[in-house]
Amino acid sequence: MRTKKECIAMILAGGQGSRLGVLTKKNAKPAVPFGGKYRIIDFTLSNCVNSGFDTVGVLTQYQPLELNEYIGTGQTWDLDRIDGGVHVLPPYQSTGGANWYNGTADAIYRNIDFIDRYQPDNVAVLSGDHIYKMDYSKMLSAHIKNSADCTIAVLEVEMNEASRFGIMNTRDDGSIYEFEEKPKHPKSNKASMGVYIFRWDKLRSWLISDHEDESSSNDFGKNIIPKMLAAGERMFAYPFSGYWKDVGTIESLWDANMDLLNPRLALNLSDPVWTVYSRSPVLPPMYVGEGARVTNSSCGDGCKIEGNLDFAVLFHDVTVGKGATVEYSILMPGARIGEGATVRYAIIGENVTVEAGASVGSPPTDGGDPAKWGVAVIGNSLTVGEDAEVKAGAMVGEDIAARECVSP
């Protein structure tokens, strides 16, 4: 007999993340490494357990193998529970046939039976590809206090940036009277974070109605939220003021990793009260060789550093050879940087080898925004040959021969 739950969480983790290019060729976006020891999904899973949500569904779809293996039984996040715990929920064949999820709302609709098993009063619908720390229990308390049918977390952004987001226009009591998707002339700066809490009986009804509407895109932002608002359901905004970033592009992924090296900007990942859990291998401490220089950088266990690092984020088991230079770059697990190689403003994928004397990326020549200049990216398990050159902004998806030059 399962215990009736006050709230369960459903994490949308099936996105392809196509704007991350070669980094998601064989990986779902939430499984992409982040911050030296984490995967992107670690933040949402850790938020759930730290908020007291002990029943979590993870909805996978695109390239799920590594994500499924990484989550495992959920023990890392204290979600290996007999009554609840974490459940990986891929699309499955039903009486109507087997299809991929058609949209975010369809993904939840097709797991109604799973949710009903726990008879929850409320359901939190979360994204598995954002970097942030948030206490969902406080949002749930506000949701219950307001007798809300739906509560949407919002983050105040700069007004000149508001047209990039879904904007919630609210009354003085926080109730939402209008939702505008990427408005040209926004009335407010309250941007939706894609974090929702619904009364389950209400959401269940709306999901069924949306599924029966053949014209629907089966999406929360495009369909469910506007329909509920138009019908006069009780909808409230929940203000959030902490660090939050959607790492959906190469530039935003690079930028968020660099933020970790600035204690004034980034999340406190060493906070013992609100731990961000990760499933990392147990390796020896990093080794820094004689003559190596490490400044403004973060290095994972098992790293061997004999070159020079400045503003670099290194995951576990990374090697940087003698005379090599790594600046303003991210080196994912197992990367090997050869002697005398140079890596600047770049993301080096998992198990990549950059051979001796090679050059990957370069800083903006005008000192401007590297997002405009271009971060160089090397896909997983590739080799950049000896003395090869990869220009700024190049996206590399195949091996590069010695002395070859690759441009964007």
Side-chain angles (χ1 to χ4, degrees):
M1 182 76 178
R2 293 182 177 87
T3 303
K4 176 178 170 59
K5 303 291 182 178
E6 182 178 48
C7 187
I8 72 171
M10 301 291 282
I11 301 177
L12 299 167
Q16 180 176 353
S18 58
R19 292 179 297 169
L20 293 179
V22 294
L23 297 179
T24 53
K25 186 176 181 180
K26 295 183 178 180
N27 256 354
K29 179 180 168 186
V32 170
F34 177 84
K37 65 178 290 188
Y38 307 98
R39 303 271 171 173
I40 293 173
I41 198 170
D42 284 333
F43 291 84
T44 306
L45 284 172
S46 297
N47 286 342
C48 285
V49 71
N50 287 328
S51 301
F53 289 11
D54 64 3
T55 304
V56 180
V58 180
L59 284 70
T60 62
Q61 181 160 271
Y62 172 79
Q63 294 287 8
L65 182 61
E66 186 160 354
L67 186 60
N68 294 354
E69 184 179 71
Y70 182 72
I71 293 173
T73 64
Q75 182 178 14
T76 297
W77 304 271
D78 190 28
L79 288 170
D80 52 337
R81 310 290 182 91
I82 294 175
D83 184 17
V86 67
H87 301 260
V88 176
L89 303 170
Y92 60 90
Q93 186 166 359
S94 64
T95 55
N99 292 295
W100 274 27
Y101 297 135
N102 296 325
T104 54
D106 180 60
I108 304 298
Y109 167 80
R110 287 166 62 181
N111 285 283
I112 282 177
D113 288 346
F114 168 80
I115 298 171
D116 280 344
R117 293 164 72 187
Y118 297 97
Q119 305 173 59
D121 296 321
N122 304 284
V123 171
V125 178
L126 313 168
S127 295
D129 53 9
H130 296 158
I131 305 299
Y132 68 121
K133 295 200 298 188
M134 181 179 182
D135 189 342
Y136 303 136
S137 67
K138 292 182 178 179
M139 181 176 173
L140 177 61
S141 295
H143 174 77
I144 294 171
K145 181 180 178 181
N146 290 326
S147 299
D149 299 316
C150 172
T151 301
I152 301 172
V154 296
L155 180 74
E156 291 192 1
V157 299
E158 298 292 334
M159 280 300 294
N160 60 356
E161 294 286 318
S163 59
R164 296 175 47 234
F165 297 90
I167 297 298
M168 301 293 166
N169 298 319
T170 63
R171 303 179 183 90
D172 291 341
D173 64 353
S175 60
I176 301 167
Y177 69 85
E178 185 179 28
F179 169 66
E180 296 181 289
E181 180 65 29
K182 298 181 179 179
K184 291 183 178 180
H185 305 289
K187 299 173 185 175
S188 84
N189 63 342
K190 295 177 180 178
S192 171
M193 295 168 57
V195 175
Y196 314 114
I197 295 180
F198 295 91
R199 265 184 54 188
W200 175 231
D201 59 344
K202 287 283 188 177
L203 178 58
R204 194 181 192 283
S205 175
W206 281 107
L207 289 173
I208 293 170
S209 173
D210 180 70
H211 174 73
E212 294 170 349
D213 180 359
E214 294 183 359
S215 66
S216 177
S217 301
N218 308 126
D219 183 84
F220 277 99
K222 295 177 182 177
N223 306 110
I224 299 292
I225 301 300
K227 287 176 181 177
M228 289 184 68
L229 193 60
E233 303 283 23
R234 288 181 61 81
M235 305 181 73
F236 285 78
Y238 177 80
F240 176 77
S241 59
Y243 182 95
W244 178 87
K245 185 157 287 190
D246 179 352
V247 287
T249 65
I250 290 297
E251 289 75 21
S252 63
L253 178 64
W254 177 88
D255 195 46
N257 274 275
M258 292 298 107
D259 282 350
L260 294 178
L261 304 177
N262 185 342
R264 293 177 297 176
L265 291 178
L267 298 166
N268 178 8
L269 297 181
S270 59
D271 183 358
V273 177
W274 197 274
T275 302
V276 179
Y277 300 95
S278 68
R279 187 176 175 181
S280 300
V282 178
L283 295 170
M286 78 167 182
Y287 166 79
V288 179
E290 188 176 347
R293 179 175 59 85
V294 179
T295 56
N296 308 310
S297 298
S298 170
C299 302
D301 290 342
C303 288
K304 183 179 180 181
I305 313 301
E306 296 188 288
N308 303 310
L309 306 179
D310 191 24
F311 285 97
V313 175
L314 275 60
F315 286 77
H316 61 266
D317 195 29
V318 169
T319 298
V320 178
K322 292 181 180 179
T325 298
V326 178
E327 298 177 344
Y328 293 91
S329 294
I330 304 158
L331 275 56
M332 291 187 176
R336 300 285 184 267
I337 310 302
E339 293 188 8
T342 301
V343 177
R344 294 189 177 100
Y345 290 85
I347 300 176
I348 306 298
E350 298 182 60
N351 302 310
V352 165
T353 298
V354 178
E355 295 187 343
S359 172
V360 179
S362 62
T365 54
D366 60 358
D369 183 358
K372 298 177 181 178
W373 176 251
V375 174
V377 183
I378 309 297
N380 296 340
S381 303
L382 299 179
T383 297
V384 179
E386 189 173 344
D387 294 321
E389 181 181 8
V390 178
K391 298 283 191 178
M395 176 84 67
V396 177
E398 57 187 24
D399 291 338
I400 299 172
R403 290 169 289 283
E404 184 179 351
C405 181
V406 178
S407 299

